[in-house]
Amino acid sequence: NLYRLGCMNVIVIAGDGRRLPRGAPFDRVLVDAPCSGEGNYRRQEGRSSTPTPRFTAYVTGLQEALLRRAIELTRPGGTIVYSTCTYAPEENEAVLDRVLRDAPVTMEDIPLQIPHAPGVLDWQGQHFHREVARAWRVYPHHLDSGGLFMARLRRQGAGQQSCSDAEPQLTTPPNGWSPIP
């Protein structure tokens, strides 16, 4: 679909995102993380299974690893979007909370005019980093759709451009990638 629509500046890779090779940094990375899928409840005709503690431990570890790798692969000043189709705070705000404590990123507002609820700051006795409130929880009643969670992060580091509503642009092409013919 990307190529059909003429989006020639996008690279689609099938593989384990935790093992993507280092090289040229990306301007933008989408982490559409595997999850328990609670936001698909309507599509599943009201049937949903309760994740086991073992599944939750596995999937939250995977989500965090994917997000951390995305941060490593994003150039300073670049954007990372973390999204899931679940409401589970342990898969959303808790993952962000752990990453925000030591990764070179900051949370940013999402500049869209869409109904949503903010990320939760407290859940089952846990208190999350105050910045997770900038994340979005889209519930079915907001858009007559499935549900989702998303957060926008900005990679910090040397050579970072100032944060603004506009996406920063590279002035020179990154090393390591050749133009797509």
Side-chain angles (χ1 to χ4, degrees), residues 29-40:
V29 176
L30 168 64
V31 179
D32 184 13
C35 65
S36 57
E38 293 172 332
N40 293 323

Side-chain angles (χ1 to χ4, degrees), residues 127-142:
H127 306 288
F128 301 127
H129 192 288
R130 63 181 169 77
E131 289 294 303
V132 302
R134 297 174 100 172
W136 280 23
R137 294 174 148 268
V138 177
Y139 294 105
H141 69 275
H142 286 133

Side-chain angles (χ1 to χ4, degrees), residues 36-49 85-87 138-148:
S36 57
E38 293 172 332
N40 293 323
Y41 185 74
R42 290 172 81 180
R43 274 193 6 217
Q44 297 165 351
E45 298 176 358
R47 293 185 306 264
S48 180
S49 61
C85 59
T86 190
Y87 310 120
V138 177
Y139 294 105
H141 69 275
H142 286 133
L143 299 173
D144 192 25
S145 66
L148 69 99

Side-chain angles (χ1 to χ4, degrees), residues 8-122:
M8 301 304 287
N9 63 342
V10 176
I11 298 172
V12 178
I13 301 168
D16 187 338
R18 298 170 294 181
R19 293 181 180 80
L20 286 174
R22 285 187 172 82
F26 291 93
D27 296 328
R28 296 171 192 88
V29 176
L30 168 64
V31 179
D32 184 13
C35 65
S36 57
E38 293 172 332
N40 293 323
Y41 185 74
R42 290 172 81 180
R43 274 193 6 217
Q44 297 165 351
E45 298 176 358
R47 293 185 306 264
S48 180
S49 61
T50 303
T52 65
R54 182 176 175 191
F55 173 81
T56 300
Y58 166 76
V59 80
T60 57
L62 176 59
Q63 291 163 337
E64 183 176 344
L66 288 168
L67 181 53
R68 287 183 183 280
R69 187 62 171 170
I71 293 166
E72 290 173 7
L73 296 171
T74 304
R75 70 169 175 78
T79 303
I80 302 107
V81 172
Y82 175 78
S83 70
T84 69
C85 59
T86 190
Y87 310 120
E90 64 265 35
E91 297 180 52
N92 296 321
E93 289 90 350
V95 170
L96 286 174
D97 178 72
R98 290 190 299 274
V99 168
L100 286 169
R101 292 187 186 280
D102 61 10
V105 291
T106 57
M107 292 275 304
E108 290 191 329
D109 292 323
I110 299 170
L112 298 173
Q113 298 299 316
I114 296 174
H116 66 280
V120 299
L121 293 175
D122 298 291

